[in-house]
Amino acid sequence: MNAPTIEYAELAPLITIFGAAVVGVLIEAFAPRRLRHPIQVGLSLVALVAALVQVILLAGTGMVAAVGAVAIDGPALFLQGTILVLAIISVGFFAERRLEAGGDAFAPSASSLPGSEEERVLVRERMLQTEVYPLVLFAVGGMMLFPAANDLLMLFIALEVMSLPLYLLCGMARRRRLLSQEAALKYFLLGAFSSAIFLFGMAFVYGYAGTLRFGEISEALTANVGQDGILLAGVGLMAVGLLFKVGAVPFHSWTPDVYQGAPTPITGFMAACTKLAAFGALVRLFYVAFGGLRTDWQPMLWAVAIATMLVGAVVALTQTDIKRMLAYSSIAHAGFVLTAMVAADSSATGAILFYLATYGIATLGAFAVVTLVRDSGGEATHLAKWAGLGRRSPVLAATFALFLLAFAGIPLTSGFVGKLSVFTAAIDGGAAPLVVVGVIASAVAAFFYVRVIVLMFFSDPAPEGPTVAVPSLWTAVGITLGAAATLLLGIVPGPLLDLAQQASIFVR
């Protein structure tokens, strides 16, 4: 038996993040409680920045590492770098301690019963739950591994490593704890079902191809002619598991409830980073392993993309909660990405990478703004409470309006360039009818985005309306960076577009 060769230098970003997560668990066990928060925040930021530097140094690498299980190529490195940038900003939002009296957005003890004497004592003593940071690092590690997985087993492992910490994080909200725990339970149960379906599909694909590696599965498509039944069943079942993660219709029912119930910093982190990782894995699996079945899976994606765009845009019109509205908005955006994916070529990959990066930045900024609009019960997420916000805090309202305009795809924002790139890729790939549906869905979506802007700037504020909290430097810097990037990428998108196109080639 020959010992496997492990390319430690190429796997260094993943090793750094998982190693820091393990160290974070040890800190929880041995460090004094009063020192845990600064140590965990510092450790998380150092690990994320170090991993980002390592990803940048790997730029241009094209190889399969870890005995064929992990691909180190353009799409994987681009998505890993983007996830790390968004995670660095997210950790700043998690560390925010000015918005809640004596604490952060997380319950002092997730295991204590809501409203119990134990919880009241912990709140009174201003205890902080710092287990959040190692959980986030494990989730980030899974997100980085997910789009880089090059065989079915590693793909499933990455899916679970990414998902399990998120199930816990969704149930840790300081306010509205029952709603938060309900969201976590729904996400866990539906996620468990989707993972089981995904694993069942993997078994079918392995039974057909006799291998786990994507490249060898692609080769088996031409060798095993006439045995497509079991293969197509496997492809369909695996698609269910991955489309659940991106929040595509009809596998989207978890999205609004989880986005509403989870702590808002976690909601922003999930909405930005999870979608990037899941789409990266979906595109790699279908382009590399199942590329020879395009004529079979493209009609499925046509139907899913149309349903996702229309359901996300139309149902968002009826929402009265800002977080639920943004949840349905994210569903519609998943449909826009699927529109480009139907094209199934390198230009589509570049367009998808650019769109995911711009969407992630704007989403993170938008949810950060939501954390600052507050009333006596915490975050004021009902839309009626946002009336007149432009008069109370014109800078904050203008920043949120910028993010909404980017979601709507208005020119001079990153969202416009992103939608133009994915629609162009779809037209070049022969999916012009999908683009027509996408334009209609964008017009419908623009209505509810503009409705919020009108509510903020052209409505009278309620006498006892919400206040705008003054954040610490963590949140202020994160929102400023998000707004600046959203505007800059709308005016000068060329460098990132070129980078995305250069990073669009999968190693096989």
Side-chain angles (χ1 to χ4, degrees), residues 487-506:
L487 198 57
L488 184 63
L489 291 174
I491 300 172
V492 190
L496 187 59
L497 271 173
D498 293 340
L499 180 62
Q501 287 299 334
Q502 293 169 12
S504 62
I505 305 300
F506 290 100

Side-chain angles (χ1 to χ4, degrees), residues 53-89:
V53 171
Q54 291 162 352
V55 167
I56 294 172
L57 294 177
L58 288 172
T61 304
M63 64 176 297
V64 176
V67 200
V70 179
I72 311 296
D73 57 10
L77 292 173
F78 184 94
L79 289 172
Q80 287 177 350
T82 307
I83 289 169
L84 287 168
V85 169
L86 297 175
I88 290 169
I89 298 173

Side-chain angles (χ1 to χ4, degrees), residues 27 197 233:
I27 289 171
I197 293 170

Side-chain angles (χ1 to χ4, degrees), residues 63 125 287 303 319 390:
M63 64 176 297
E125 294 179 358
Y287 282 15
Q319 302 304 308

